[in-house]
Amino acid sequence: MIVSAPSASISAQDKGFFGHPRGLSTLFFTELWERFSFYGMKAILGLYLWTAVSEGGLGVDKALALSVVAIYGTAVYMSGVAGGWLADRVWGGQRATFYGGVLIMCGHIALALPIGITGVYLGLVFIVIGTGLLKPNISTVVGGLYEKHDTRRDAGFTVFYMAINIGGFVSPLITGALADGISFHAGFAVAAVGMALGLIQYRIGRKNLRGSAAVAPNPLPPAEKGRVYGLISGVVVAIGALGVVSYLLGGVEGVILMISIMSIVLPITYFTVMLRSKKTLPEEKPRVLAYIPLFIAAAMFWLIFEQSASVIAEFADSHVDNHVFGWEFPVAWFQSINPIMIIVLAPVFAWLWLKLADRAPGTPRKFAGALVLVGLSFVLMYFASNSAADGKVTPLWLVVMFLIMTAGELMLSPVGLSVTTKLAPRAFASQTMSLWFLAVSAGTGVAAQLVKFYTTSPSAYFFTLGGAAIVFGVALAVAAPAIRKLMSGVE
């Protein structure tokens, strides 16, 4: 019989991948290639939108292009709700991950075709849907490799997180060079190849997953399938109609505003459903309540962090000197700074959490530290922006900014993945992982509206957002004991 998670004996004895279950190697390399495709495309998307047509771009207004890049991130992570639901109720995490990868590859192929804005729209739709299937569910499969109280769990997610950043480091170098040297479409094409390699890796190593998330944990009863599928069709039609109305009333900005509103409404609805559901056990409900402030903190973190591909990319393009010994390197290469820092620092943080063990700060305090650090990174950009008023500035501003931001990321992102799998009600396992990615969606949804103010006063923009994150981080640190009390039984 296929089971949805490994037994305790299998989980404890399987140490075939540097002390971790062998299945982690399969998921490590699959995620590496998927992130290669995602970050490679994202590194050149904004540049493709606002670069002049005469230089191979689409010539979109910069303020609108910044909003488009931000709202793309919103839609990508919002679609994780549907992907999590399909994994929990229909396919299981393993199949949802594979189907998502196929759609992502199709999206990059569409972007690689020289068909202008049509290729952008078509490609982004495929990637949004595909990432919604793959992203939350591959993390759920990782969690299923370990027992809930396995001390290797946080370290395993940190190792897994390194795969994201290896792909994220290499891909902008390659896609950026191709975009500069050949065309943007060549950059998108290599992203499609990366996703194809990820799919091959996944199929070859799937046997090592030992049944983790192989079947839906809360499958639809046959009698309900017709009704539920009809409801899903109705929701899809309603969202499509709302999108058309938004476009007719406000153009592209109207659609962006609609998605931003949905990014806030959706997580509120999801928390309400989980708390009111009879399938959420009494001992699980306090854990869901504990998750709410962590979710809000994560949304604030990603609001700032995810602007690397929009606001920071524009700042690098317009205000940073990208010459080394007289040679001009692609602006997209700045997007590789954060991943290489993750590669270097992730083992340090993994070792630190293992070394500290029970003496390590709890999840709420880790999140608080992350908020303070990401806030400081934008406060630093306030000074960089002021310096840029006199001309282009040294790339060292961005290097230091990414260093501070990366330290915050390592205190929040892998830890957040881990705590999500621990706090999730059993009946909502994959869907709660989708909720974690809705924090990114909510943050970028708000950012899609805020980035419009960046072009008005960059220095004020950086200082306001950075200061707000620091204040919120301090408040979360003060509330940490109360949050940990609600997490009783998990930490």
Side-chain angles (χ1 to χ4, degrees), residues 2-371:
I2 297 177
V3 295
S4 60
S7 69
S9 59
I10 290 175
S11 178
Q13 295 173 13
D14 189 353
K15 299 180 180 180
F17 183 61
F18 298 103
H20 292 274
R22 283 186 295 273
L24 184 61
S25 67
T26 297
L27 301 173
F28 178 94
F29 289 107
T30 301
E31 181 74 351
L32 186 156
W33 285 114
E34 187 275 328
R35 291 290 91 180
F36 175 96
S37 69
F38 179 83
Y39 286 112
M41 181 277 291
K42 195 174 180 181
I44 61 176
L45 176 61
L47 294 169
Y48 178 49
L49 290 172
W50 67 60
T51 296
V53 175
S54 61
E55 298 176 12
L58 296 178
V60 176
D61 176 74
K62 273 193 176 180
L64 177 59
L66 291 172
S67 290
V68 169
V69 173
I71 210 65
Y72 158 67
T74 303
V76 161
Y77 290 105
M78 200 186 306
S79 67
V81 173
W85 184 89
L86 285 168
D88 275 352
R89 306 304 305 273
V90 183
W91 290 327
Q94 289 189 26
R95 277 194 292 169
T97 295
F98 181 77
Y99 298 154
V102 172
L103 289 173
I104 291 169
M105 181 180 66
C106 292
H108 291 304
I109 291 172
L111 282 164
L113 298 175
I115 53 178
I117 198 67
T118 301
V120 174
Y121 291 151
L122 183 62
L124 294 186
V125 168
F126 274 122
I127 295 170
V128 163
I129 298 172
T131 305
L133 283 170
L134 184 147
K135 192 61 183 165
N137 295 314
I138 194 171
S139 297
T140 300
V141 179
V142 172
L145 296 175
Y146 301 90
E147 287 300 301
K148 231 166 199 184
H149 297 286
D150 192 326
T151 57
R152 300 174 297 169
R153 194 183 187 89
D154 279 7
F157 270 101
T158 301
V159 171
F160 175 72
Y161 204 64
M162 285 183 65
I164 297 174
N165 292 283
I166 293 173
F169 165 65
V170 175
S171 55
L173 300 179
I174 296 174
T175 59
L178 289 172
D180 269 21
I182 302 176
S183 71
F184 285 104
H185 300 294
F188 295 132
V190 78
V193 172
M195 189 64 254
L197 291 172
L199 289 170
I200 293 170
Q201 160 67 27
Y202 186 74
R203 293 300 294 181
I204 292 174
R206 193 171 174 181
K207 62 182 181 295
N208 293 323
L209 302 181
R210 296 185 179 276
S212 173
V215 297
N218 185 25
L220 281 173
E224 291 186 22
K225 287 185 178 180
R227 179 184 64 82
V228 173
Y229 292 156
L231 179 62
I232 292 172
S233 300
V235 170
V236 170
V237 171
I239 292 174
L242 186 59
V244 171
V245 172
S246 298
Y247 182 79
L248 293 175
L249 293 176
V252 176
E253 290 89 347
V255 176
I256 291 173
L257 178 60
M258 179 202 77
I259 298 174
S260 292
I261 293 172
M262 288 177 61
S263 73
I264 301 299
V265 172
L266 199 54
I268 292 174
T269 302
Y270 233 92
F271 275 114
T272 302
V273 168
M274 283 200 297
L275 287 170
R276 296 182 63 182
S277 174
K278 294 179 180 178
K279 294 179 180 178
T280 302
L281 302 176
E283 63 269 23
E284 293 176 329
K285 290 186 177 181
R287 297 171 189 166
V288 176
L289 289 173
Y291 194 61
I292 294 174
L294 299 179
F295 177 92
I296 296 171
M300 182 67 196
F301 178 89
W302 296 118
L303 186 156
I304 293 177
F305 182 89
E306 285 295 319
Q307 292 187 47
S308 298
S310 55
V311 165
I312 300 302
E314 195 288 325
F315 185 86
D317 191 27
S318 301
H319 303 296
V320 178
D321 184 6
N322 61 325
H323 290 80
V324 177
F325 302 116
W327 173 66
E328 183 178 2
F329 61 87
V331 173
W333 285 14
F334 283 111
Q335 298 300 314
S336 288
I337 297 176
N338 167 251
I340 191 60
M341 287 183 174
I342 287 285
I343 294 168
V344 172
L345 295 178
V348 177
F349 275 80
W351 171 83
L352 181 63
W353 303 145
L354 284 173
K355 186 72 174 177
L356 291 174
D358 294 338
R359 295 177 289 116
T363 298
R365 292 196 185 278
K366 288 177 183 175
F367 274 47
L371 279 175

